[in-house]
Amino acid sequence: ILKLQFLYLIVSELHTCTMKRSALFVTALCAVSTAGQCPYVTKGAAGRVPKNHPPVKGFEDLQHAAPQGRVGAAAVDWHGLKRDLEKVIVTEQRDIYPFDHTGTYGGFFIRQAWHSSGSYRTMDGRGGVDGGRQRFNPELSWDDNAQLDKAKRLLYATKQKYGADLSWGDLIIFASNVAMETMGGPVLGFCAGRVDDYDGEDSTMLGPNHAQDALYHCDDPNNCTKNDFGTTNIGLIYVNPEGPGGNPDPAGEAWDVRVSFDHMSMNDTETVALIGGGHSFGAAHGACPLGPGPSPIQDPANPWPIPGPCGSKGLFTSGFQGSWSLTPTQWSNNYFTELVGQEWEVYMGPGGKHQWRVKDTKNASLAALMMLTSDVSLLHDPSYKALSEHFAKHPKAFDNQFAHAWYKLTTRDMGPRERCVGPFVPPVQAFQNPLPPPPAHPAAFDVVLKDVEALIAANTVAPAELVALAYQTASTVRVTDYKGGANGARIRFAPESAWKVNKGLDVVLGRLGSLVQKHAGSLTWADLIVVAGTAGLKAFGLPLEALPFCPGRSDATDGTGSAHLLPNGFGEDYEGNVALYVDKMVVSGIPKWAVVALAARPKSQAHMDSIGYNATWRSELSTDFYNVVLENQWVKTQTPGGALYEAKGKAGVFATQTDVFLYYDPELRAIAEAYAADDALFKKRFAEAWTLLMNADRYDGPTGNKCY
């Protein structure tokens, strides 16, 4: 049924768009659609009608309430919320969940935020707290998240008081910041603007499940260090704290820690500061060898019951037992002074897991301390050990490093600073890949367009080359962590300039360089590349009114931030796996109808030759592309540039892997067939898709777009 509904949305138009986390894309689509109408839109093309959409016959069961945070985080009284949270954190113990230590739920809320944010990974931008998906499976039932359902119950009344403007994602992080401040901890600031997801679908690929294993397989789920997963153990937040494979090997654990934190884009200093800072508060619980009881996915009605299998004395979260610091309710650097100042020995804790204690101590306070193998690993790596010793001697340095690292951890998936709102947003940070201000007075579009057209007329550059340049520049965008896109024109720098799919485009950039010089101070490379793409499409017959241009982009000074943003290209890396291709669409936020339309973009012969795809390519914008793809059978063959497909019985007729995906994937084929049968529909959808892609990264607040 969903497949039929999906096709219905492709060939028909719906009015008035709203959407969840990728609302900025929907805004773009609504703006570029004819007569205020909007084609099929949804994050990841999952076949859903956007929330708050007017009733659509046949779709009533797919339409639900608006996601939390969608209305506007800017409307929240953040100072009032802070006062309310202070009362929730420092309060009387409630029956919902016992204190870690008398008088405060601070450590509990910090753990909740750590485990929600710590799921972020750079490979595809998935994970993180934006979306508030820790409320849903699979994250809800991860072993590392045992009892965190109770943290949300403690916050529920506060959430209800502030209504839909306050998302769970924002509340989880803000509550942890307030908790730190009540215990004297350093906080750099808070970026509000997270929008909650409807469900846990966007955490599916974090695993563990069959869908994740099919696309992103790990031979040993307990040792995924060779993969780019954020965690080294699928189903845990980052590493197995007991040690690699449950073996208390601190040196081996140090390797896992570095791999995992690197996949979260954290350097050594940030890693040590975060581990020490997070473990400066609260306690781990594992006094019960029977475990926490059934998880939410096993018993939705009474998950992880309290009292648990061992009664009131056997609270179980991680399976480890004890506090890391002598001051677990007050910020200090005691974690580091004890870590480096004591000798630690491994033993089997009451929860049946390896943990560490101070060796041969008669001091009752020290005897109550514990460390995990992941903590002790900091003493078995030269860099980590030096940093731990530094933080033990210099508490102010620890304060500063932790405040910045915590802000990065909890904000990494929010994208550039312009998406942040609220009164506590700190100055822009390096991890947000800031861009310089755009020109105050940008060059006139029509003037620059004529300059580009003059280069085309002089045969200095071909229209298809300009289309290829603009497409490759913009198609790095991804909605999972709001990175990539045309803004910044990072295609001029490594790593983008060195990607195989961008070979030869440096030549096109060189031929456009004179225009940047001519309009110095008023024209950026980023705007020029988009204008050039428009000029190229105009040469192929698309009217300018169908390709609205929005100026105001600026230029990056280097390629920082482009790692892991390699676009779909021509599918040479997918080895025939269309599911990986579709998953890349989900990550980009560009829906299937748009991707299939853009697949028919004119191919530059020079660009394809530079890549090594030695064949004759159609340099036109026509439904003939779909007819050729759909009407032929394709046989895989090798060329100097990699695998291509040749039409069976038709020598010299070639297609790329992504072209052939349209032939044999049922959903992609259905869209292609609709375009093949209606040239007007194809041209309309192509123009909408192009405008969407070119402006996808023009963020204005959490859900807005500067161009619409």
Side-chain angles (χ1 to χ4, degrees):
I1 293 174
L2 283 175
K3 303 292 177 62
L4 293 173
Q5 291 171 338
F6 175 80
L7 181 56
Y8 167 78
L9 284 168
I10 290 295
V11 298
S12 63
E13 295 176 312
L14 303 174
H15 299 266
T16 314
C17 297
T18 61
M19 194 176 176
K20 56 164 184 172
R21 187 174 170 196
S22 51
L24 61 163
F25 295 119
V26 180
T27 305
L29 286 165
C30 291
V32 301
S33 297
T34 303
Q37 295 176 319
C38 158
Y40 166 68
V41 289
T42 182
K43 180 180 176 184
R48 302 185 211 152
V49 177
K51 301 300 186 273
N52 272 2
H53 197 288
V56 181
K57 186 177 181 180
F59 288 81
E60 293 86 355
D61 61 328
L62 301 178
Q63 295 180 253
H64 311 286
Q68 303 298 296
R70 177 68 184 88
V71 180
V76 173
D77 175 8
W78 292 101
H79 293 283
L81 175 59
K82 183 176 181 180
R83 291 190 293 271
D84 288 340
L85 286 172
E86 288 171 348
K87 297 174 184 176
V88 174
I89 295 164
V90 183
T91 183
E92 297 289 329
Q93 180 169 292
R94 297 174 60 188
D95 292 339
I96 293 173
Y97 191 78
F99 286 137
D100 286 336
H101 296 92
T102 302
T104 180
Y105 282 113
F108 193 37
F109 289 145
I110 291 169
R111 172 176 172 247
Q112 175 180 234
W114 216 135
H115 286 207
S116 187
S117 301
S119 62
Y120 172 80
R121 63 190 190 190
T122 56
M123 67 173 270
D124 55 10
R126 284 188 166 104
V129 73
D130 191 20
R133 291 181 302 278
Q134 195 186 64
R135 298 168 297 141
F136 308 115
N137 287 313
E139 291 187 52
L140 177 64
S141 293
W142 285 351
D143 289 347
D144 267 359
N145 289 339
Q147 306 295 356
L148 288 180
D149 58 320
K150 315 303 190 297
K152 294 161 191 64
R153 289 176 59 191
L154 291 169
L155 292 171
Y156 180 71
T158 306
K159 175 70 181 70
Q160 288 301 97
K161 176 179 179 179
Y162 288 85
D165 287 350
L166 176 62
S167 69
W168 273 106
D170 275 347
L171 179 56
I172 287 169
I173 299 305
F174 195 58
S176 73
N177 284 10
V178 176
M180 283 190 191
E181 290 181 323
T182 65
M183 296 185 289
V187 173
L188 181 65
F190 174 68
C191 166
R194 296 164 185 82
V195 179
D196 288 342
D197 284 2
Y198 310 119
D199 51 38
E201 178 189 347
D202 287 341
S203 294
T204 299
M205 289 305 163
L206 300 179
N209 51 63
H210 293 302
Q212 162 264 314
D213 188 59
L215 288 187
Y216 302 105
H217 176 71
C218 175
D219 290 336
D220 181 0
N222 293 317
N223 183 17
C224 289
T225 55
K226 295 181 180 179
N227 300 77
D228 285 335
F229 301 136
T231 176
T232 61
N233 295 69
I234 297 176
L236 298 180
I237 301 303
Y238 61 116
V239 298
N240 184 339
E242 196 177 6
N247 178 29
D249 170 17
E253 183 81 332
W255 169 264
D256 283 6
V257 167
R258 178 168 284 108
V259 168
S260 180
F261 276 79
D262 178 67
H263 291 168
M264 292 190 289
S265 191
M266 298 292 177
N267 61 31
D268 283 2
T269 303
E270 293 164 334
T271 298
V272 175
L274 283 171
I275 293 174
H279 289 174
S280 291
F281 299 114
H285 301 283
C288 176
L290 301 179
S295 71
I297 203 169
Q298 295 167 330
D299 184 2
N302 189 29
W304 296 318
I306 294 178
C310 290
S312 60
K313 299 294 185 181
L315 180 63
F316 191 107
T317 54
S318 61
F320 304 96
Q321 181 64 32
S323 296
W324 297 266
S325 168
L326 294 176
T327 61
T329 62
Q330 185 65 37
W331 175 260
S332 74
N333 69 335
N334 181 256
Y335 169 91
F336 288 110
T337 60
E338 302 304 339
L339 177 67
V340 303
Q342 305 295 339
E343 183 179 357
W344 297 88
E345 66 176 1
V346 67
Y347 74 106
M348 189 65 69
K353 293 187 176 183
H354 295 100
Q355 56 186 68
W356 299 70
R357 63 191 173 196
V358 177
K359 186 176 181 179
D360 298 331
T361 183
K362 296 181 180 179
N363 183 303
S365 296
L366 291 177
L369 290 182
M370 73 95 194
M371 292 286 171
L372 307 174
T373 304
S374 53
D375 298 304
V376 177
S377 76
L378 302 183
L379 303 177
H380 291 258
D381 175 273
S383 175
Y384 290 165
K385 184 178 182 181
L387 287 163
S388 298
E389 292 171 342
H390 179 71
F391 291 152
K393 295 177 181 177
H394 303 283
K396 290 189 180 299
F398 173 43
D399 293 354
N400 179 65
Q401 291 294 342
F402 176 77
H404 284 82
W406 180 259
Y407 182 70
K408 179 179 177 179
L409 173 75
T410 58
T411 315
R412 191 73 175 81
D413 61 336
M414 285 293 287
R417 186 181 183 274
E418 51 261 38
R419 295 195 65 252
C420 300
V421 295
F424 304 115
V425 182
V428 66
Q429 303 294 301
F431 73 85
Q432 295 170 312
N433 301 313
L435 294 170
H441 304 287
F445 166 72
D446 56 343
V447 173
V448 178
L449 180 70
K450 289 179 180 178
D451 287 343
V452 176
E453 290 178 326
L455 295 179
I456 294 173
N459 292 322
T460 301
V461 65
E465 291 178 312
L466 301 177
V467 173
L469 175 63
Y471 178 84
Q472 293 303 133
T473 301
S475 60
T476 55
V477 71
R478 64 186 192 190
V479 73
T480 48
D481 58 357
Y482 307 98
K483 294 181 67 176
N487 203 8
R490 292 184 174 89
I491 197 171
R492 296 169 296 137
F493 306 110
E496 293 188 33
S497 61
W499 291 341
K500 174 184 173 182
V501 73
N502 290 339
K503 285 188 69 173
L505 294 180
D506 57 329
V507 176
V508 184
L509 286 167
R511 292 169 181 167
L512 293 173
S514 61
L515 300 188
V516 174
Q517 296 174 357
K518 177 180 178 180
H519 299 280
S522 63
L523 178 63
T524 61
W525 272 108
D527 270 348
L528 174 58
I529 288 170
V530 176
V531 173
T534 301
L537 291 174
K538 182 186 175 189
F540 287 108
L542 280 185
L544 280 181
E545 56 268 23
L547 300 167
F549 174 71
C550 177
R553 297 168 185 83
S554 57
D555 291 338
T557 57
D558 56 37
T560 301
S562 290
H564 305 286
L565 297 183
L566 182 67
N568 259 324
F570 298 105
E572 58 274 6
D573 297 325
Y574 297 132
E575 298 181 353
N577 190 342
V578 69
L580 284 172
Y581 180 53
V582 172
D583 189 59
K584 199 66 174 281
M585 297 182 203
V586 175
V587 170
S588 74
I590 306 299
K592 288 183 180 179
W593 70 263
V595 173
V596 175
L598 293 171
R601 66 192 181 277
K603 290 184 173 71
S604 162
Q605 186 68 51
H607 179 218
M608 299 298 278
D609 287 345
S610 295
I611 296 174
Y613 288 153
N614 298 334
T616 301
W617 299 99
R618 290 175 174 268
S619 188
E620 60 185 13
L621 186 64
S622 167
T623 56
D624 287 347
F625 165 80
Y626 300 108
N627 291 321
V628 169
V629 169
L630 300 176
E631 291 175 358
N632 288 290
Q633 291 182 303
W634 299 96
V635 180
K636 191 172 184 179
T637 185
Q638 288 294 325
T639 73
L644 285 178
Y645 290 80
E646 189 169 17
K648 188 175 182 179
K650 296 182 181 179
V653 178
F654 287 93
T656 67
Q657 176 69 81
T658 51
D659 296 337
V660 174
F661 281 152
L662 308 187
Y663 171 83
Y664 64 73
D665 179 78
E667 292 184 5
L668 300 180
R669 185 181 180 98
I671 304 169
E673 288 176 353
Y675 293 156
D678 190 335
D679 184 73
L681 174 66
F682 161 61
K683 296 287 180 61
K684 181 172 182 289
R685 290 291 182 256
F686 184 94
E688 291 170 344
W690 184 266
T691 305
L692 167 65
L693 181 63
M694 293 300 120
N695 297 319
D697 61 340
R698 303 298 304 281
Y699 307 113
D700 185 19
T703 60
N705 188 296
K706 294 177 181 178
C707 297
Y708 308 109

